[in-house]
């Protein structure tokens, strides 16, 4: 079990630029989740994949956000035309099937918009 | 719909003292409940979970929690605090209706005084 891996750990970019984050889940986990966490808050759900299928997107996920998991393994989260309000920690988690299965989190990607 | 309220954004205890972190949940169906811990600049780590069965669940690092259905609460306790317990703690709920969306509380930061 190598854990959930996220890359990069930190990203600093200018407003208006596009950014892409990568998440590598635990290999046998077929569920993958993206969350956003701002200072002093718990993680907020963004989107969820069951294998390669994106089954749910939060209303927090505007049309500037897109996520993919093309082969049911790693996932990418892209933010286009970044805004100041996008500054946050973006967390990825994975789990086995079953709603009682705990999610295993990566260390996150901290995005700072200048 | 599910929701989670963590009472107290900050809790301070002395080393060796009892740790008690409060969590109240709202769920229209029997919930699955989780406690996670987050250290600075890291992702969330599962402490313990309640799904079914025994209402007192034991987790890692000496923590335990009790599912109190009548009070809709899931308090986290540890008999004797250690300096290494200083971190942010999150309570989370999933409604076991086949949904997948985990709702997190806003977190409680635990300070441990020497």
């Amino acid at each position: 079990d190598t854990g959930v891996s996220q890359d990069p750990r930190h990203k600093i970019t200018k407003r208006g630029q596009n950014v892409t984050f990568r998440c590598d889940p635990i290999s046998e986990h077929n569920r993958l989740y993206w969350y956003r966490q701002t200072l002093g808050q718990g993680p907020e759900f963004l989107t969820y994949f069951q294998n390669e299928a994106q089954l749910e997107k939060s209303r927090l996920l505007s049309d500037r956000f897109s996520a993919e998991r093309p082969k049911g393994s790693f996932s990418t989260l892209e933010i286009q035309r970044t805004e100041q309000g996008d500054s946050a920690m973006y967390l990825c988690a994975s789990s086995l099937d079953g709603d009682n299965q705990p999610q295993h989190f990566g260390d996150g990607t901290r995005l700072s918009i200048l | 719909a599910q929701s989670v309220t963590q009472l107290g954004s900050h809790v301070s205890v002395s080393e060796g003292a009892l740790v008690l972190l409060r969590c109240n949940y709202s769920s229209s169906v029997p919930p699955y409940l989780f406690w996670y811990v987050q250290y600075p600049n890291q992702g969330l780590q599962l402490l313990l979970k309640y799904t079914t069965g025994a209402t007192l669940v034991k987790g890692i690092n000496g923590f335990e929690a009790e599912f109190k259905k009548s009070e809709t609460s899931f308090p986290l306790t540890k008999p004797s605090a250690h300096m290494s317990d200083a971190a942010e703690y999150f309570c989370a709920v999933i409604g076991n209706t086949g949904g997948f969306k985990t709702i997190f509380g806003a977190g409680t930061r635990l300070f441990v005084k020497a």
Side-chain angles (χ1 to χ4, degrees):
Chain A
D1 181 354
T2 57
V4 177
S5 177
Q6 292 188 245
D7 183 70
R9 291 295 312 277
H10 300 96
K11 180 70 176 179
I12 302 173
T13 192
K14 294 182 179 179
R15 187 179 56 184
Q17 297 295 304
N18 299 343
V19 294
T20 299
F21 310 141
R22 177 180 170 122
C23 171
D24 287 89
I26 293 172
S27 57
E28 60 266 30
H29 288 181
N30 53 4
R31 291 190 179 188
L32 187 147
Y33 313 78
W34 285 99
Y35 292 87
R36 181 171 67 189
Q37 185 179 23
T38 54
L39 203 61
Q41 297 298 317
E44 295 175 291
F45 170 80
L46 292 179
T47 190
Y48 153 71
F49 290 86
Q50 177 89 20
N51 299 311
E52 66 275 11
Q54 187 175 19
L55 298 185
E56 184 69 18
K57 291 173 60 173
S58 165
R59 279 172 285 183
L60 292 175
L61 216 63
S62 74
D63 56 6
R64 295 185 298 106
F65 288 69
S66 62
E68 295 182 343
R69 194 182 183 197
K71 297 182 180 179
S73 56
F74 74 92
S75 175
T76 58
L77 177 67
E78 181 182 16
I79 309 175
Q80 296 182 325
R81 305 182 303 282
T82 52
E83 301 174 355
Q84 291 281 352
D86 297 333
S87 294
M89 175 78 87
Y90 290 84
L91 294 167
C92 176
S94 69
S95 75
L96 295 168
D97 263 340
D99 300 325
N100 62 347
Q101 295 295 324
Q103 295 174 28
H104 297 253
F105 283 81
D107 286 340
T109 294
R110 182 168 296 282
L111 174 64
S112 298
I113 306 299
L114 301 177
Chain B
Q2 290 81 41
S3 66
V4 177
T5 302
Q6 291 186 239
L7 304 176
S9 59
H10 298 84
V11 170
S12 182
V13 300
S14 298
E15 193 173 21
L18 171 72
V19 175
L20 171 60
L21 304 182
R22 301 183 188 276
C23 170
N24 286 91
Y25 68 89
S26 171
S27 179
S28 56
V29 297
Y32 297 137
L33 296 161
F34 305 82
W35 276 100
Y36 287 86
V37 61
Q38 186 177 33
Y39 297 98
N41 297 313
Q42 293 186 22
L44 280 69
Q45 180 184 4
L46 180 71
L47 278 177
L48 49 80
K49 68 175 182 178
Y50 168 79
T51 54
T52 58
T55 56
L56 182 65
V57 292
K58 295 186 183 298
I60 62 172
N61 301 338
F63 284 93
E64 61 183 37
E66 185 176 3
F67 173 53
K68 298 185 177 184
K69 184 178 179 181
S70 62
E71 299 175 10
T72 61
S73 70
F74 191 53
L76 180 71
T77 60
K78 181 174 180 177
S80 177
H82 191 273
M83 296 296 287
S84 61
D85 294 327
E88 187 95 20
Y89 291 81
F90 293 95
C91 182
V93 63
I94 298 177
N96 63 348
T97 56
F100 53 86
K101 187 175 176 179
T102 303
I103 305 299
F104 287 87
T108 296
R109 181 164 295 278
L110 177 66
F111 297 91
V112 182
K113 300 175 291 184

